[in-house]
Amino acid sequence: MKEEIPYIRVAVSYYKIVKRPLTSGDSTIILVPWNKETIIADHGKDYLAQIPQYDGFCCIPSHLEYQLKVGTFYNQYHELEHHPKQGDCSTILYFLQHIFREQYELGLDYIKILYEKPLQILPILCLVSTERGTGKTTFLNLLKLIFDKNMTLNTNDDFRSQFNSDWSNKIIIAVDEVLLDKREDSERIKNLSTARLFKSEAKGKDRQEIEFFGKFILCSNNETSFIHIDKEEIRYWVIKVFPFSNTLNCSSEQFFEKLKLEVPAFLYFLLNRSFHTKNDSRMWFTPKQIETEALIKLKRNYKSTLEKEMLDILQTIFEDQDLEQLCFQINDVICSLSNLNRKAYSLHKIRDILVSSWGLSATNSSYVRYIIFADGTISKNQHKGRYYELTKKRFDEIYC
């Protein structure tokens, strides 16, 4: 048998293909830059002619017709370790039934799309629960078993870092214990979820524009504010996960081993299973199909810093003055914010919350004006102008 060459040459650089040990006992294959002179010292000069040569790197995701060499380029997407094989996958299906519950068929479609159509854009999948022992992390580990080196588990800081080359060519970018509560985080992840091109950057190297096909999966113990989601947003699929009741009479380690052993049979099952849904939108699933109570709750409960400060001011006035109805102008809110040394906000941002988020409309007449001062006192006087009217009942709905 011909000895396998553990080196490649890409353009003018040499790399050694090595297996890096993992704490699990497994290993992962990586490319390590290797010195040409070292190769000659170890194997002789004639050995260089045997090393496979490529013009450059590419990243072409495919699980059913994988190619390591695409034209004259070396494919950095990895071949899956597991291949379809007929058998029993009842443990995996049992577990996925727990995760997706009434959306079980949609969940199977989601994984089938990842496997068969890796270039298809998909919604941002979020698994949330304030309770422990729900199986969120196990779900990520199951996908890691399937997609292996083509999936990465990131932290919040990894996602925010300018250096992103380690995850920019993965099909799944998962963040466990996610807390991306800044608006710029939300905007970035939304844009990436539907992006075709992406600026990849590594330390010490120039940024490169690459094709992007990554799908985001977020897990959080915070059900209401782990990420900013606008009311009209349609790119998120948020699932409330409940505690997992393992009825198979085995330990967590044994359960995970069952999942691992069933991966080939599960891939066979996916290939031979018909889609339950059709490709009816840019992200395959329609907004109606992936709308859940958890998504509605997240949209309803998420509030910006400005909105929280406005609610605090109005609540103070409602309670201090024992009101059932409160009238105020935008300048009244700005004045109270200023007196309390809060950050300055524009009229436009406050009006947007009052009109777009709270559904209020302005009236032009006389009203009783309330202003909070730094010492906590509240002034009260008659005023005239365009004001907004808010009942205590409506305030309680917004506040909750």
Side-chain angles (χ1 to χ4, degrees):
M1 292 181 63
K2 185 179 179 180
E3 182 184 0
E4 185 176 347
I5 307 297
Y7 304 95
I8 62 171
R9 195 188 91 184
V10 182
V12 296
S13 300
Y14 287 87
Y15 298 86
K16 186 173 184 179
I17 304 170
V18 301
K19 291 184 177 181
R20 183 173 63 189
L22 301 175
T23 55
S24 62
D26 298 325
S27 61
T28 182
I29 296 175
I30 60 171
L31 295 180
V32 178
W34 217 255
N35 186 280
K36 177 181 177 180
E37 287 70 29
T38 303
I39 298 176
I40 294 174
D42 291 343
H43 304 282
K45 188 173 183 180
D46 293 341
Y47 187 83
L48 294 177
Q50 304 178 51
I51 297 176
Q53 300 176 16
Y54 302 88
D55 290 338
F57 289 112
C58 67
C59 192
I60 310 297
S62 177
H63 306 132
L64 304 182
E65 298 178 353
Y66 176 79
Q67 291 179 290
L68 177 62
K69 185 176 182 181
V70 183
T72 59
F73 283 73
Y74 183 88
N75 191 1
Q76 287 188 297
Y77 196 81
H78 299 277
E79 184 177 14
L80 299 188
E81 178 182 346
H82 298 285
H83 300 282
K85 183 179 180 181
Q86 190 170 7
D88 175 44
C89 60
S90 57
T91 308
I92 292 180
L93 297 181
Y94 166 75
F95 177 67
L96 294 178
Q97 176 74 61
H98 159 73
I99 294 292
F100 292 100
R101 298 173 75 85
E102 64 273 7
Q103 292 183 309
Y104 172 64
E105 295 294 345
L106 272 67
L108 291 177
D109 277 1
Y110 177 87
I111 302 174
K112 181 177 173 72
I113 294 166
L114 284 171
Y115 182 56
E116 296 181 15
K117 304 175 184 292
L119 294 178
Q120 170 62 47
I121 295 173
L122 287 171
I124 302 163
L125 178 61
C126 307
L127 303 183
V128 300
S129 179
T130 56
E131 300 168 291
R132 304 286 178 173
T134 59
K136 298 191 300 294
T137 302
T138 301
F139 176 74
L140 297 183
N141 290 335
L142 171 60
L143 292 181
K144 184 68 174 173
L145 287 175
I146 297 171
F147 296 100
D148 198 20
K149 292 175 281 293
N150 302 304
M151 173 179 173
T152 182
L153 295 169
N154 280 3
T155 65
N156 298 298
D157 290 337
D158 290 331
F159 178 73
R160 287 172 172 152
S161 172
Q162 71 179 90
F163 303 115
N164 48 42
S165 60
D166 60 327
W167 56 263
S168 59
N169 61 353
K170 307 296 185 183
I171 189 172
I172 298 176
I173 302 105
V175 185
D176 204 357
E177 303 299 338
V178 66
L179 184 60
L180 301 172
D181 55 347
K182 297 179 181 178
R183 178 171 283 275
E184 52 264 36
D185 294 332
S186 175
E187 291 302 316
R188 187 182 187 202
I189 204 169
K190 282 194 306 181
N191 293 335
L192 282 174
S193 69
T194 53
R196 287 298 188 187
L197 298 173
F198 179 59
K199 296 285 187 180
S200 177
E201 184 173 358
K203 287 184 178 180
K205 296 184 179 180
D206 294 335
R207 298 177 73 190
Q208 289 186 323
E209 187 173 73
I210 64 170
E211 293 180 292
F212 186 72
F213 47 82
K215 285 72 175 170
F216 292 96
I217 301 178
L218 313 179
C219 293
S220 178
N221 293 325
N222 186 333
E223 296 181 21
T224 58
S225 58
F226 67 92
I227 197 166
H228 184 98
I229 299 184
D230 296 325
K231 291 187 177 180
E232 303 303 319
E233 184 54 58
I234 60 172
R235 281 173 275 196
Y236 289 87
W237 181 10
V238 184
I239 297 175
K240 160 79 173 178
V241 188
F242 296 88
F244 180 49
S245 177
N246 184 356
T247 61
L248 301 179
N249 297 320
C250 59
S251 65
S252 298
E253 292 76 15
Q254 291 171 328
F255 181 78
F256 187 72
E257 282 303 312
K258 283 178 177 286
L259 296 181
K260 185 176 182 179
L261 291 172
E262 290 183 7
V263 168
F266 179 60
L267 296 180
Y268 181 89
F269 167 82
L270 290 177
L271 282 175
N272 290 275
R273 170 190 176 272
S274 299
F275 279 107
H276 185 75
T277 55
K278 296 179 181 180
N279 189 359
D280 289 328
S281 75
R282 179 173 59 164
M283 306 186 85
W284 187 281
F285 303 102
T286 65
K288 191 66 177 177
Q289 286 174 326
I290 59 174
E291 184 180 69
T292 63
E293 286 297 325
L295 174 61
I296 295 170
K297 181 180 179 181
L298 180 60
K299 288 181 177 181
R300 185 173 63 239
N301 283 274
Y302 195 93
K303 297 177 177 64
S304 65
T305 301
L306 171 58
E307 187 173 6
K308 290 176 182 176
E309 291 182 349
M310 289 169 60
L311 289 170
D312 287 343
I313 287 172
L314 297 177
Q315 183 185 37
T316 300
I317 297 172
F318 266 118
E319 293 179 350
D320 185 85
Q321 300 295 311
D322 193 22
L323 302 174
E324 289 299 321
Q325 179 177 297
L326 175 61
C327 300
F328 58 92
Q329 290 184 327
I330 294 177
N331 280 329
D332 301 345
V333 176
I334 292 176
C335 188
S336 292
L337 288 171
S338 177
N339 290 340
L340 296 172
N341 293 319
R342 304 291 174 84
K343 179 182 175 181
Y345 294 97
S346 67
L347 287 166
H348 172 75
K349 288 184 176 180
I350 295 176
R351 183 183 292 109
D352 186 59
I353 290 174
L354 296 176
V355 177
S356 301
S357 298
W358 297 3
L360 304 182
S361 57
T363 301
N364 193 356
S365 185
S366 298
Y367 71 100
V368 178
R369 184 188 194 192
Y370 298 94
I371 301 292
I372 302 178
F373 290 90
D375 60 1
T377 60
I378 299 176
S379 68
K380 174 181 176 181
N381 55 50
Q382 287 289 326
H383 198 70
K384 188 174 183 178
R386 291 183 61 82
Y387 64 86
Y388 295 88
E389 183 180 300
L390 183 63
T391 64
K392 184 65 166 62
K393 181 180 179 182
R394 176 63 182 141
F395 172 82
D396 289 341
E397 292 173 354
I398 296 169
Y399 193 85
C400 293

